[in-house]
Amino acid sequence: MDSLLTNLADELLVQDITEPSAVLGSISGDDLQAAYDHILEQFALELLIGAHENSDWSNGKLVIDANHGPIHLLQAAFYAVRLEVQRRGGLIRKV
């Protein structure tokens, strides 16, 4: 799964997220669902780590001031996978 994330990250560096993904387009529906689940879990974990390492409340909102690189990478990957699922007309199972 990590190699998929690495390949997707490399692709997103050179391509707009709204363009069809060659990386995601080459995997099966079940693997796409597994990627969605994995990336969502990793995204949540990186948010928790960032909040734990350095966060503060400002005007009633939690501001995370750590772990920005992994958080932004996983956010972009999450949206890319979600768009691919939508392109295929599929539904996303709840984790």
Side-chain angles (χ1 to χ4, degrees), residues 1-70:
M1 194 61 61
D2 289 334
S3 64
L4 173 72
L5 185 57
T6 299
N7 293 340
L8 182 57
D10 290 343
E11 183 180 71
L12 290 171
L13 286 173
V14 296
Q15 171 177 313
D16 187 89
I17 195 169
T18 60
E19 297 296 318
S21 168
V23 172
L24 297 175
S26 65
I27 64 175
S28 71
D30 287 340
D31 287 343
L32 184 64
Q33 179 65 52
Y36 176 87
D37 294 345
H38 176 74
I39 289 169
L40 185 59
E41 288 173 8
Q42 290 302 310
F43 185 28
L45 179 62
E46 295 299 340
L47 286 169
L48 287 171
I49 291 169
H52 176 72
E53 288 180 0
N54 190 11
S55 63
D56 200 1
W57 289 94
S58 175
N59 295 324
K61 295 179 182 178
L62 180 64
V63 178
I64 297 174
D65 197 22
N67 228 27
H68 288 205

